[in-house]
């Protein structure tokens, strides 16, 4: 992707560069998009799943921002090739799973239980917001205030999520 857009890269070029045969590629991946998704998951999302996000949320946010900054070129190539919606879909299931872990742990800590519908809504809502913010950081040509962004995300999660859970359980 440093030499050409993702849409112009062929499986033949990948297998030649990697020294594997075509069948090996297709044994593991349906297409180049599947390879890209696997790469992104392996490098970022799988590692992020190892954080205790209720305790290490700032470390986790820093990790994600480091990843976005270090891989800005690749992520922007993926964005240019696939578009915003498809890139969001790449991250959605994994980030939604992470949000589900956070919400479920908060429910346990608060001694409350949300309906499945509302729990899914919360996970979707916060996942959409986080994904949009990451894409904004990734696409921006302007520098951003990293500490301020981390502080804003942290405040939003810490202040709103427990209150949303409490209120939803009270009204359900």
């Amino acid at each position: 992707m440093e030499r050409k857009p993702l849409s112009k890269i062929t499986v033949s070029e990948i297998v030649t560069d990697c020294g594997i045969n075509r069948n090996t590629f297709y044994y593991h991946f349906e297409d180049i998009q599947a390879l890209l998704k696997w790469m992104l998951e392996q490098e970022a999302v799988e590692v992020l799943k190892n954080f205790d996000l209720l305790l290490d949320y700032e470390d986790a946010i820093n990790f994600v921002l480091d990843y976005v900054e270090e891989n800005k070129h690749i992520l922007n190539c993926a964005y240019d090739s696939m578009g915003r919606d498809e890139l969001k879909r790449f991250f959605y299931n994994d980030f939604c799973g992470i949000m589900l872990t956070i919400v479920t742990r908060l429910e346990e800590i608060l001694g409350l239980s949300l309906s499945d519908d509302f729990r899914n809504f919360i996970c979707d809502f916060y996942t959409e917001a986080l994904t949009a913010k990451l894409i904004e950081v990734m696409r921006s040509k302007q520098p951003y205030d990293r500490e301020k962004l981390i502080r804003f995300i942290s405040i939003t999660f810490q202040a709103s999520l427990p209150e949303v859970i409490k209120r939803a359980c009270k009204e359900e």
Side-chain angles (χ1 to χ4, degrees):
M1 285 190 278
E2 290 179 1
R3 295 186 307 246
K4 62 170 68 173
L6 179 64
S7 61
K8 303 284 186 196
I9 297 172
T10 65
V11 171
S12 296
E13 291 171 310
I14 292 172
V15 298
T16 300
D17 285 353
C18 294
I20 61 171
N21 69 44
R22 194 173 186 81
N23 289 337
T24 301
F25 177 88
Y26 284 112
Y27 177 78
H28 294 285
F29 305 106
E30 183 178 318
D31 54 20
I32 293 173
Q33 304 290 346
L35 169 63
L36 181 61
K37 183 176 183 349
W38 175 83
M39 182 188 75
L40 294 172
E41 287 173 346
Q42 294 302 306
E43 291 186 348
V45 177
E46 288 301 320
V47 174
L48 187 60
K49 288 178 183 177
N50 294 321
F51 283 94
D52 183 343
L53 296 173
L54 289 178
L55 299 175
D56 303 329
Y57 59 90
E58 286 187 13
D59 290 340
I61 296 167
N62 268 307
F63 172 81
V64 171
L65 291 174
D66 285 345
Y67 180 82
V68 168
E69 289 169 8
E70 290 167 12
N71 295 283
K72 196 170 190 170
H73 179 75
I74 290 172
L75 293 170
N76 276 302
C77 286
Y79 181 97
D80 291 341
S81 175
M82 300 179 302
R84 181 184 188 94
D85 289 341
E86 193 62 29
L87 188 61
K88 278 174 53 176
R89 264 191 287 279
F90 265 3
F91 294 114
Y92 184 84
N93 285 337
D94 293 312
F95 279 11
C96 205
I98 291 166
M99 280 307 308
L100 179 60
T101 300
I102 292 170
V103 170
T104 303
R105 292 228 19 243
L106 273 172
E107 285 179 89
E108 291 170 6
I109 290 167
L110 297 170
L112 300 170
S113 182
L114 294 168
S115 69
D116 290 341
D117 285 344
F118 197 77
R119 186 179 303 110
N120 291 336
F121 170 80
I122 290 173
C123 292
D124 181 61
F125 185 83
Y126 282 96
T127 298
E128 287 288 332
L130 285 172
T131 303
K133 229 21 179 166
L134 286 175
I135 290 173
E136 180 184 311
V137 166
M138 178 192 85
R139 295 297 288 176
S140 178
K141 305 259 188 272
Q142 303 298 321
Y144 68 100
D145 185 338
R146 183 185 181 115
E147 295 308 313
K148 185 163 103 176
L149 178 61
I150 292 169
R151 190 174 79 249
F152 285 2
I153 292 171
S154 298
I155 290 168
T156 302
F157 271 94
Q158 286 180 330
S160 68
L161 204 47
E163 292 306 313
V164 167
I165 292 170
K166 288 175 191 174
R167 184 161 180 183
C169 286
K170 191 164 108 176
E171 292 184 16
E172 285 185 336

